[in-house]
Amino acid sequence: MHRPIFIAALVSVSLLGACKQKEQSPAAETTMPAATTATPAETAPAAVDIAAWSGKWTGPEGMYAIITPGADGKASLEMQSDLDTKATYEGTATAEGISFKRGDQTIVIKKATGDETGLKYLAGKKDCLMVKSGEGYCRD
């Protein structure tokens, strides 16, 4: 009656010993994984094409954004962003859009639809840019 339990225990100890030996195998320690090198295209998404976004984009109530491409992924953004704020900003192309600093905030203007801007004036338009909800510009 004790013999089956003894045999099961002996098999278990043998299996554990085999696993332990496999973990400590010198071959396993010396085998190095193949080195992988990532290309820049794999490590970071491509920046937006500022040239494709260049020109005038219009918003409601006389608001607008004029994007002018510059060198090295830079752009000039002339914007009338509300009734009282008209300024020009230097932007930089990123994977999400064009990043620029307005006041003490870093903002990204990105592709959107008129519906995504949340502005009734732009509803239904497809070729738009959006700074934030309630601030967007579309091509007519």
Side-chain angles (χ1 to χ4, degrees), residues 6 15 59 126 131:
F6 177 77
L15 289 174
K126 302 294 180 204
V131 173

Side-chain angles (χ1 to χ4, degrees), residues 59-61 113-125 133-136 138:
E61 300 179 2
T113 64
D115 294 335
E116 289 172 324
T117 68
L119 297 164
K120 286 191 261 181
Y121 176 81
L122 302 178
K125 296 188 178 196
S133 182
E135 183 182 351
C138 297

Side-chain angles (χ1 to χ4, degrees), residues 77-118:
L77 292 96
E78 179 186 331
M79 300 175 79
Q80 176 81 41
S81 54
D82 63 36
L83 294 174
D84 301 320
T85 308
K86 180 179 178 181
T88 301
Y89 310 96
E90 180 180 303
T92 303
T94 68
E96 295 82 31
I98 300 174
S99 175
F100 66 100
K101 194 162 180 87
R102 183 163 64 192
D104 61 352
Q105 289 185 316
T106 299
I107 301 169
V108 177
I109 188 167
K110 58 189 175 197
K111 285 298 273 180
T113 64
D115 294 335
E116 289 172 324
T117 68

Side-chain angles (χ1 to χ4, degrees), residues 20-33:
K20 186 78 169 165
Q21 286 177 353
K22 188 171 187 176
E23 288 176 5
Q24 295 175 351
S25 168
E29 290 176 18
T30 59
T31 303
M32 303 288 267

